[in-house]
Amino acid sequence: MRENDMLEKEEIFSKVLRAGRRTYFFDVRATKADDYYITITESKKFTEEDGSFHFKKHKIYLYKEDFSSFAEILEEMTSYVLNHKGEEVISERHQKDFKKEYSSDKTEEQRSSFTDIDFDDI
């Protein structure tokens, strides 16, 4: 089999989900026996202090015999998370490069929480 034929076989069907610093690649691929399976690849971008960057990748291979169970458990897990924690994303503030933006109202609110002291009383 020529190299081009093998590349065509690997690129049967693909979808990409871009999610901030993470990108998910969903690919349908073929086995040597010409059966199909799915790979899910998470690629996460890391930026160095000098401005250079690199990617870390993690890959899952999912075979047809596991599709039903995988989909069932994934649905159960996602439903559990959404039912218990809702859809609001709170984990961003725990990322290393997270920068919280403060509004001027918040700063004023923080200042007003201190006790006002009149120095004439001392």
Side-chain angles (χ1 to χ4, degrees):
M1 187 178 285
R2 292 186 351 235
E3 187 176 330
N4 285 348
D5 293 337
M6 287 183 65
L7 289 175
E8 282 181 27
K9 262 191 151 176
E10 285 192 15
E11 298 175 0
I12 296 165
F13 183 65
S14 296
K15 292 278 188 171
V16 176
L17 171 62
R18 298 192 195 291
R21 293 185 330 167
R22 294 180 309 271
T23 302
Y24 299 99
F25 299 91
F26 298 85
D27 299 297
V28 174
R29 301 189 182 270
T31 65
K32 290 180 183 179
D34 203 32
D35 202 1
Y36 289 169
Y37 65 98
I38 296 172
T39 62
I40 303 170
T41 307
E42 175 202 35
S43 178
K44 193 170 183 182
K45 184 177 182 178
F46 290 89
T47 305
E48 305 295 335
E49 289 182 18
D50 66 0
S52 65
F53 57 88
H54 67 280
F55 294 92
K56 286 189 180 179
K57 296 182 179 182
H58 300 91
K59 188 174 283 201
I60 296 173
Y61 294 85
L62 188 58
Y63 298 93
K64 286 191 323 188
E65 61 267 23
D66 302 322
F67 286 1
S68 180
S69 298
F70 186 92
E72 191 177 299
I73 291 173
L74 181 61
E75 172 61 31
E76 182 180 354
M77 300 305 279
T78 55
S79 293
Y80 180 89
V81 170
L82 295 174
N83 289 335
H84 286 82
K85 294 296 181 179
E87 294 187 24
E88 179 188 6
V89 177
I90 59 174
S91 60
E92 290 175 345
R93 66 177 157 228
H94 298 290
Q95 293 178 4
K96 186 171 77 171
D97 60 351
F98 176 74
K99 292 182 176 82
K100 187 168 182 172
E101 295 179 22
Y102 291 99
S103 68
S104 58
D105 294 341
K106 182 76 173 171
T107 306
E108 186 59 39
E109 181 182 305
Q110 289 172 337
R111 283 189 209 135
S112 66
S113 67
F114 294 105
T115 305
D116 189 17
I117 299 175
D118 187 354
F119 289 102
D120 291 336
D121 293 340
I122 297 181

